[in-house]
């Protein structure tokens, strides 16, 4: 959709995006989602399932897997370690 909005082919969009941001679009978006989840987990007490939903994940298992892959800890472990509350 982003490539279409930019009036580029998918391959051209990916190449130009990587040139500008240093990573593939999917990687960039995933990283931003996890960063938002980290902020929510450390500064609120909303349920992890709600954090997943608010960060654009439809499935809790997908959120947990992605979060752990990026951060090295599960969302609940992260919350216990970094919670500001």
């Amino acid at each position: 959709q982003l490539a279409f909005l930019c009036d580029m082919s998918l391959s051209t969009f990916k190449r130009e995006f990587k040139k500008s941001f240093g990573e593939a679009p999917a990687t960039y978006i995933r990283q931003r989602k996890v960063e938002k989840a980290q902020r929510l987990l450390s500064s609120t007490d909303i349920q992890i399932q709600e954090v997943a939903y608010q960060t654009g994940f439809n499935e809790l298992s997908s959120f947990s897997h992605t979060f752990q892959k990026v951060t090295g800890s599960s969302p609940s472990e992260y919350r216990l370690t970094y919670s500001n509350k």
Side-chain angles (χ1 to χ4, degrees):
Q1 289 176 344
L2 292 173
F4 176 79
L5 291 171
C6 294
D7 195 28
M8 296 180 182
S9 70
L10 183 57
S11 58
T12 299
F13 177 78
K14 286 179 178 181
R15 185 173 49 255
E16 293 300 318
F17 190 97
K18 188 164 186 174
K19 251 195 265 184
S20 294
F21 294 97
E23 54 193 354
T27 305
Y28 180 88
I29 291 168
R30 184 177 335 135
Q31 185 65 35
R32 301 297 85 76
K33 286 179 167 186
V34 170
E35 287 171 1
K36 181 177 179 181
Q38 287 175 301
R39 286 191 302 275
L40 290 171
L41 289 168
S42 64
S43 64
T44 71
D45 58 358
I46 61 176
Q47 292 181 347
I48 291 174
Q49 187 168 354
E50 180 62 20
V51 171
Y53 176 74
Q54 287 189 23
T55 55
F57 290 89
N58 295 326
E59 299 290 330
L60 182 58
S61 61
S62 175
F63 169 68
S64 295
H65 176 78
T66 301
F67 191 91
Q68 183 143 5
K69 186 176 179 184
V70 172
T71 66
S73 65
S74 72
S76 56
E77 291 170 337
Y78 185 88
R79 173 171 271 164
L80 288 172
T81 304
Y82 297 102
S83 181
N84 294 331
K85 293 200 93 169

